[in-house]
Amino acid sequence: MLKFGKRVSYRPLIISLLIGLIAGYPTADVLNSGLYGLGVGFVFFCIVFFGYYFLNVPILFVYWDVNSDGIRYYDVDKWNNRLLSMLVPPLSKYTTINKNSIKSITFIGDLDNRFEIPMALPYTAAVGVFTGAISMAHHPDFVRLNLIDGSTVNMSIARDYTYSRNKTIDKLNLLLKVLGQE
């Protein structure tokens, strides 16, 4: 089985809660009011959970796998599926595309060019943590599946390509063999 991307986990929820606690606890301590601390913590939780993760789940957490029968993926483009997958990842359900319903496969993106952050700008290690996400956002490579019913489905390969170009290209060649599209 070929696997692409990264599954949604409890990470968005846990990190949002931690940042909310980190902001809310000192506020409650300084202002001597648990209610203010709870309010500030909730605001920071919402900023991180909804302002960052909810908007970026389709970039950061795109998972799909391929076997001889077809392709399974998490549809995080719909906001209700995205929210469910962020709150309770095990309840997320796969969407399946049967191998026989695929009309054609097209690779979209520039697989020869690699995005790199310009070195003329000084940046800290904290910014370096976001290098992968920035690269995925600037280099949106994907596999477009044209289905027999006329619809198209885009499957991101940006994460795999960002972290391992050669392995991703090998996996894409194997994808064509498994689905019989050579």
Side-chain angles (χ1 to χ4, degrees), residues 78-104:
K78 297 177 184 169
W79 71 269
N80 52 346
N81 291 346
R82 189 181 311 177
L83 187 60
L84 178 67
S85 68
M86 289 172 62
L87 292 172
V88 191
L91 293 181
S92 299
K93 295 183 180 179
Y94 282 110
T95 302
T96 304
I97 300 173
N98 191 328
K99 175 182 172 178
N100 298 328
S101 65
I102 299 172
K103 181 177 175 183
S104 66

Side-chain angles (χ1 to χ4, degrees), residues 44-129:
F44 273 85
F45 169 82
C46 288
I47 289 170
V48 174
F49 191 77
F50 293 107
Y52 177 72
Y53 280 112
F54 186 77
L55 298 176
N56 291 308
V57 162
I59 295 171
L60 300 174
F61 297 100
V62 176
Y63 177 80
W64 55 288
D65 59 44
V66 181
N67 59 29
S68 59
D69 296 329
I71 297 175
R72 299 181 318 157
Y73 68 99
Y74 289 119
D75 185 11
V76 291
D77 288 335
K78 297 177 184 169
W79 71 269
N80 52 346
N81 291 346
R82 189 181 311 177
L83 187 60
L84 178 67
S85 68
M86 289 172 62
L87 292 172
V88 191
L91 293 181
S92 299
K93 295 183 180 179
Y94 282 110
T95 302
T96 304
I97 300 173
N98 191 328
K99 175 182 172 178
N100 298 328
S101 65
I102 299 172
K103 181 177 175 183
S104 66
I105 297 173
T106 308
F107 299 122
I108 307 293
D110 187 1
L111 296 179
D112 293 327
N113 188 10
R114 177 181 232 161
F115 173 79
E116 295 192 18
I117 293 180
M119 294 307 289
L121 300 173
Y123 62 92
T124 64
V127 174
V129 170

Side-chain angles (χ1 to χ4, degrees), residues 117-146:
I117 293 180
M119 294 307 289
L121 300 173
Y123 62 92
T124 64
V127 174
V129 170
F130 295 106
T131 302
I134 292 168
S135 177
M136 286 184 273
H138 284 278
H139 212 285
D141 300 313
F142 56 92
V143 174
R144 175 170 288 158
L145 303 173
N146 295 310

